[in-house]
mmCIF file of all heavy atoms in Angstrom:
data_model
loop_
_atom_site.group_PDB
_atom_site.id
_atom_site.type_symbol
_atom_site.label_atom_id
_atom_site.label_comp_id
_atom_site.label_asym_id
_atom_site.label_seq_id
_atom_site.Cartn_x
_atom_site.Cartn_y
_atom_site.Cartn_z
ATOM 1 N N GLU E 24 124.506 129.965 147.872
ATOM 2 C CA GLU E 24 125.491 130.166 146.815
ATOM 3 C C GLU E 24 125.188 129.163 145.712
ATOM 4 O O GLU E 24 125.377 127.964 145.877
ATOM 5 C CB GLU E 24 126.909 129.961 147.360
ATOM 6 C CG GLU E 24 127.940 130.333 146.314
ATOM 7 C CD GLU E 24 129.370 130.123 146.785
ATOM 8 O OE1 GLU E 24 129.574 129.917 147.990
ATOM 9 O OE2 GLU E 24 130.254 130.149 145.916
ATOM 10 N N LYS E 38 112.068 140.655 150.091
ATOM 11 C CA LYS E 38 113.007 141.030 149.026
ATOM 12 C C LYS E 38 114.334 140.296 149.196
ATOM 13 O O LYS E 38 114.830 140.173 150.315
ATOM 14 C CB LYS E 38 113.252 142.536 149.095
ATOM 15 C CG LYS E 38 113.946 143.099 147.881
ATOM 16 C CD LYS E 38 114.418 144.520 148.121
ATOM 17 C CE LYS E 38 113.457 145.539 147.595
ATOM 18 N NZ LYS E 38 114.042 146.904 147.657
ATOM 19 N N GLY E 52 128.194 121.666 136.365
ATOM 20 C CA GLY E 52 129.323 122.151 137.172
ATOM 21 C C GLY E 52 130.636 121.450 136.895
ATOM 22 O O GLY E 52 131.658 121.764 137.493
ATOM 23 N N GLY E 60 133.161 140.132 133.109
ATOM 24 C CA GLY E 60 132.041 140.820 132.457
ATOM 25 C C GLY E 60 130.829 139.934 132.230
ATOM 26 O O GLY E 60 129.771 140.400 131.809
ATOM 27 N N LEU E 72 114.838 141.432 129.573
ATOM 28 C CA LEU E 72 113.793 140.465 129.201
ATOM 29 C C LEU E 72 112.694 140.394 130.258
ATOM 30 O O LEU E 72 111.507 140.310 129.922
ATOM 31 C CB LEU E 72 114.415 139.084 128.936
ATOM 32 C CG LEU E 72 115.374 139.034 127.730
ATOM 33 C CD1 LEU E 72 115.968 137.642 127.572
ATOM 34 C CD2 LEU E 72 114.657 139.454 126.427
ATOM 35 N N GLU E 77 107.109 141.697 131.589
ATOM 36 C CA GLU E 77 106.132 142.369 132.466
ATOM 37 C C GLU E 77 105.176 143.224 131.628
ATOM 38 O O GLU E 77 103.982 143.286 131.920
ATOM 39 C CB GLU E 77 106.838 143.249 133.508
ATOM 40 C CG GLU E 77 107.616 142.471 134.581
ATOM 41 C CD GLU E 77 106.769 142.052 135.778
ATOM 42 O OE1 GLU E 77 105.564 142.379 135.825
ATOM 43 O OE2 GLU E 77 107.337 141.375 136.669
ATOM 44 N N TYR E 89 121.297 146.951 140.638
ATOM 45 C CA TYR E 89 122.262 147.791 141.358
ATOM 46 C C TYR E 89 123.644 147.529 140.784
ATOM 47 O O TYR E 89 123.844 146.564 140.053
ATOM 48 C CB TYR E 89 122.254 147.431 142.856
ATOM 49 C CG TYR E 89 120.933 147.705 143.516
ATOM 50 C CD1 TYR E 89 119.945 146.726 143.541
ATOM 51 C CD2 TYR E 89 120.657 148.943 144.078
ATOM 52 C CE1 TYR E 89 118.713 146.983 144.112
ATOM 53 C CE2 TYR E 89 119.432 149.203 144.656
ATOM 54 C CZ TYR E 89 118.466 148.218 144.672
ATOM 55 O OH TYR E 89 117.261 148.477 145.233
ATOM 56 N N CYS E 96 115.053 141.207 143.838
ATOM 57 C CA CYS E 96 113.935 140.389 143.372
ATOM 58 C C CYS E 96 112.977 140.117 144.522
ATOM 59 O O CYS E 96 113.359 140.183 145.691
ATOM 60 C CB CYS E 96 114.438 139.037 142.854
ATOM 61 S SG CYS E 96 115.441 139.168 141.378
ATOM 62 N N GLY E 114 120.376 119.139 121.567
ATOM 63 C CA GLY E 114 120.715 118.910 122.976
ATOM 64 C C GLY E 114 120.205 117.587 123.496
ATOM 65 O O GLY E 114 120.238 116.560 122.794
ATOM 66 N N ASP E 144 119.342 116.570 137.328
ATOM 67 C CA ASP E 144 118.135 117.160 136.715
ATOM 68 C C ASP E 144 117.384 116.198 135.784
ATOM 69 O O ASP E 144 117.245 116.472 134.576
ATOM 70 C CB ASP E 144 118.505 118.427 135.919
ATOM 71 C CG ASP E 144 119.058 119.547 136.784
ATOM 72 O OD1 ASP E 144 119.055 119.418 138.021
ATOM 73 O OD2 ASP E 144 119.481 120.574 136.217
ATOM 74 N N ARG E 151 104.727 111.540 137.796
ATOM 75 C CA ARG E 151 105.754 111.668 138.851
ATOM 76 C C ARG E 151 105.599 113.006 139.571
ATOM 77 O O ARG E 151 105.743 113.082 140.788
ATOM 78 C CB ARG E 151 107.153 111.572 138.238
ATOM 79 C CG ARG E 151 107.519 110.166 137.817
ATOM 80 C CD ARG E 151 108.956 110.105 137.349
ATOM 81 N NE ARG E 151 109.291 108.752 136.943
ATOM 82 C CZ ARG E 151 110.520 108.324 136.690
ATOM 83 N NH1 ARG E 151 111.533 109.158 136.775
ATOM 84 N NH2 ARG E 151 110.739 107.090 136.336
ATOM 85 N N GLU E 169 103.446 131.250 126.508
ATOM 86 C CA GLU E 169 103.352 132.699 126.240
ATOM 87 C C GLU E 169 104.744 133.313 126.155
ATOM 88 O O GLU E 169 105.046 134.108 125.259
ATOM 89 C CB GLU E 169 102.581 133.401 127.363
ATOM 90 C CG GLU E 169 101.077 133.271 127.260
ATOM 91 C CD GLU E 169 100.381 133.886 128.464
ATOM 92 O OE1 GLU E 169 100.763 134.984 128.894
ATOM 93 O OE2 GLU E 169 99.468 133.234 128.994
ATOM 94 N N VAL E 170 105.611 132.950 127.122
ATOM 95 C CA VAL E 170 106.980 133.489 127.130
ATOM 96 C C VAL E 170 107.686 133.078 125.834
ATOM 97 O O VAL E 170 108.395 133.876 125.207
ATOM 98 C CB VAL E 170 107.752 132.984 128.376
ATOM 99 C CG1 VAL E 170 109.232 133.316 128.280
ATOM 100 C CG2 VAL E 170 107.150 133.570 129.655
ATOM 101 N N LYS E 176 109.689 136.169 119.206
ATOM 102 C CA LYS E 176 109.510 137.371 118.369
ATOM 103 C C LYS E 176 110.644 138.375 118.625
ATOM 104 O O LYS E 176 111.236 138.912 117.681
ATOM 105 C CB LYS E 176 108.152 137.990 118.714
ATOM 106 C CG LYS E 176 107.819 139.247 117.963
ATOM 107 C CD LYS E 176 106.346 139.603 118.190
ATOM 108 C CE LYS E 176 106.008 140.992 117.677
ATOM 109 N NZ LYS E 176 106.538 142.072 118.502
ATOM 110 N N PHE E 178 113.679 137.854 119.689
ATOM 111 C CA PHE E 178 114.964 137.414 119.132
ATOM 112 C C PHE E 178 114.915 137.380 117.597
ATOM 113 O O PHE E 178 115.913 137.671 116.945
ATOM 114 C CB PHE E 178 115.379 136.057 119.726
ATOM 115 C CG PHE E 178 115.878 136.185 121.145
ATOM 116 C CD1 PHE E 178 115.194 135.623 122.206
ATOM 117 C CD2 PHE E 178 117.035 136.905 121.419
ATOM 118 C CE1 PHE E 178 115.650 135.768 123.517
ATOM 119 C CE2 PHE E 178 117.502 137.054 122.718
ATOM 120 C CZ PHE E 178 116.808 136.493 123.773
ATOM 121 N N THR E 184 117.257 132.869 116.126
ATOM 122 C CA THR E 184 116.177 131.896 116.333
ATOM 123 C C THR E 184 116.259 131.365 117.754
ATOM 124 O O THR E 184 117.315 130.859 118.171
ATOM 125 C CB THR E 184 116.332 130.715 115.348
ATOM 126 O OG1 THR E 184 116.311 131.250 114.027
ATOM 127 C CG2 THR E 184 115.209 129.699 115.505
ATOM 128 N N VAL E 186 115.824 128.608 119.952
ATOM 129 C CA VAL E 186 115.730 127.160 119.724
ATOM 130 C C VAL E 186 115.074 126.470 120.916
ATOM 131 O O VAL E 186 114.145 125.672 120.774
ATOM 132 C CB VAL E 186 117.145 126.586 119.482
ATOM 133 C CG1 VAL E 186 117.126 125.074 119.412
ATOM 134 C CG2 VAL E 186 117.715 127.184 118.210
ATOM 135 N N HIS E 198 101.348 133.981 147.404
ATOM 136 C CA HIS E 198 101.051 132.799 146.584
ATOM 137 C C HIS E 198 100.809 133.131 145.106
ATOM 138 O O HIS E 198 100.130 132.399 144.387
ATOM 139 C CB HIS E 198 99.864 132.008 147.156
ATOM 140 C CG HIS E 198 99.995 130.523 146.901
ATOM 141 N ND1 HIS E 198 100.955 129.740 147.500
ATOM 142 C CD2 HIS E 198 99.302 129.690 146.085
ATOM 143 C CE1 HIS E 198 100.839 128.501 147.073
ATOM 144 N NE2 HIS E 198 99.839 128.444 146.192
ATOM 145 N N MET E 211 119.385 129.406 127.442
ATOM 146 C CA MET E 211 118.621 129.270 126.196
ATOM 147 C C MET E 211 119.574 128.977 125.046
ATOM 148 O O MET E 211 120.785 129.175 125.176
ATOM 149 C CB MET E 211 117.795 130.530 125.915
ATOM 150 C CG MET E 211 118.544 131.819 125.957
ATOM 151 S SD MET E 211 117.465 133.290 125.705
ATOM 152 C CE MET E 211 116.594 133.427 127.248
ATOM 153 N N LYS E 222 125.256 129.546 125.563
ATOM 154 C CA LYS E 222 126.236 128.812 126.375
ATOM 155 C C LYS E 222 126.841 127.610 125.656
ATOM 156 O O LYS E 222 127.880 127.093 126.079
ATOM 157 C CB LYS E 222 125.614 128.402 127.713
ATOM 158 C CG LYS E 222 126.671 128.103 128.763
ATOM 159 C CD LYS E 222 126.121 128.093 130.165
ATOM 160 C CE LYS E 222 125.441 126.818 130.505
ATOM 161 N NZ LYS E 222 125.052 126.769 131.937
ATOM 162 N N LEU E 224 128.519 127.788 123.106
ATOM 163 C CA LEU E 224 129.874 128.238 122.743
ATOM 164 C C LEU E 224 130.880 127.775 123.791
ATOM 165 O O LEU E 224 131.983 127.352 123.478
ATOM 166 C CB LEU E 224 129.914 129.769 122.652
ATOM 167 C CG LEU E 224 129.225 130.425 121.449
ATOM 168 C CD1 LEU E 224 129.152 131.929 121.644
ATOM 169 C CD2 LEU E 224 129.991 130.083 120.175
ATOM 170 N N ARG E 226 130.109 125.346 126.225
ATOM 171 C CA ARG E 226 130.004 123.877 126.373
ATOM 172 C C ARG E 226 130.931 123.187 125.375
ATOM 173 O O ARG E 226 131.557 122.191 125.687
ATOM 174 C CB ARG E 226 128.556 123.413 126.128
ATOM 175 C CG ARG E 226 127.560 123.824 127.193
ATOM 176 C CD ARG E 226 126.198 123.155 126.964
ATOM 177 N NE ARG E 226 125.190 123.584 127.927
ATOM 178 C CZ ARG E 226 124.245 124.484 127.661
ATOM 179 N NH1 ARG E 226 124.153 125.054 126.468
ATOM 180 N NH2 ARG E 226 123.367 124.820 128.587
ATOM 181 N N ASP E 231 134.029 132.976 122.578
ATOM 182 C CA ASP E 231 133.921 133.833 123.759
ATOM 183 C C ASP E 231 132.452 134.147 124.042
ATOM 184 O O ASP E 231 131.805 134.864 123.269
ATOM 185 C CB ASP E 231 134.715 135.118 123.467
ATOM 186 C CG ASP E 231 134.775 136.028 124.678
ATOM 187 O OD1 ASP E 231 133.863 135.961 125.516
ATOM 188 O OD2 ASP E 231 135.734 136.799 124.775
#
Side-chain angles (χ1 to χ4, degrees):
E24 187 181 347
K38 193 192 263 189
L72 295 178
E77 291 273 358
Y89 297 89
C96 294
D144 296 353
R151 286 186 180 191
E169 280 175 44
V170 170
K176 179 169 169 287
F178 285 114
T184 302
V186 173
H198 212 68
M211 52 183 74
K222 201 163 80 173
L224 287 170
R226 291 188 183 101
D231 185 333

